[in-house]
Structures are given as C-alpha cells and as structure tokens.
Amino acid sequence: MLLDGDDWQLELDPKDPVTIRLKAAGNKTKGPVLVPGAWQTQGFGEATAALKNQYIGVATYRKTVAVPKAMMSAGRSLWLVTDRIERSAKLMVGGKLVTEHTGYLSRLEGDVTGLVG
C-alpha cells in the first residue's frame, strides 16, 4: 500500500523561534502537504531572494492510515518503508518510536506489526 498523496499534514516545530515568527507574520506553519515533495516548495517557511521558501528546522508529518484486515492476518508482519529521507527522521506510529536515521537520501524502514491493529 503506497502512502503517497496529498492527505499528509505537516507542522513546523511550534517551539522554534523561526516558526513563532512565521506564524506571527501570517505565514504557513501547518497544513496539508503533498508527499513526496519538498515542504519549502509548498509554501512552508520564509520567502528568500534565492528560494521560494526556506525553513531549516524540525517538522512533523502526520497521516492516519486504515490498515486493511487482510494485511493484519496472523503470521504476517507489517513494515513501514520510506525512501529518500533527507537529513534525519524519526519514524513513529501511535506516538511510539519505531526507528530513526540521520543521513542523506536514505531508506528508513521499521517493523510496525505490534503497533497497529
């Protein structure tokens, strides 16, 4: 099951001073985002002379997924796989850390079998 699409939610770190300044100025700091895609090209961050928008900091992507019952049958494992992670990411399901990675354009995957259902 692919999780690409436009029903992801993105929120820039609400405690970051840049996010606080952006929000006060009426700039976009949370809302829908297309995945795959760079948040900066979708209006998140500060407009700069060289880039449409720029934000260097922490952000959270969220998506609610209904896992089909056929995928939850006994004896099967369920993995969440992401490609082209840039910089760093923590993969969490239901608020629980599955795995994390720091690096460029890498794959991040984790067994989430016991975390869904």
Side-chain angles (χ1 to χ4, degrees):
M1 168 172 45
L2 291 175
L3 301 178
D4 295 3
D6 60 359
D7 52 353
W8 284 84
Q9 293 294 311
L10 179 81
E11 181 175 7
L12 305 182
D13 180 2
K15 296 178 184 175
D16 185 298
V18 173
T19 304
I20 293 167
R21 185 168 38 82
L22 287 169
K23 188 173 182 177
N27 292 308
K28 190 172 171 182
T29 60
K30 64 180 177 178
V33 66
L34 181 63
V35 172
W39 64 47
Q40 295 89 340
T41 63
Q42 298 178 58
F44 292 89
E46 297 180 274
T48 69
L51 299 170
K52 181 176 179 179
N53 288 291
Q54 176 175 296
Y55 175 78
I56 299 172
V58 175
T60 302
Y61 285 91
R62 293 185 195 279
K63 181 177 180 99
T64 300
V65 178
V67 179
K69 290 196 184 279
M71 294 180 86
M72 299 299 301
S73 62
R76 293 187 74 176
S77 32
L78 185 63
W79 285 72
L80 187 56
V81 179
T82 59
D83 277 320
R84 300 182 57 85
I85 298 296
E86 186 173 335
R87 294 250 180 142
S88 66
K90 291 182 181 180
L91 178 58
M92 301 180 79
V93 173
K96 296 185 177 156
L97 180 66
V98 175
T99 187
E100 58 188 305
H101 171 79
T102 300
Y104 287 95
L105 300 175
S106 300
R107 174 173 277 206
L108 182 60
E109 55 187 48
D111 185 346
V112 298
T113 308
L115 301 174
V116 297

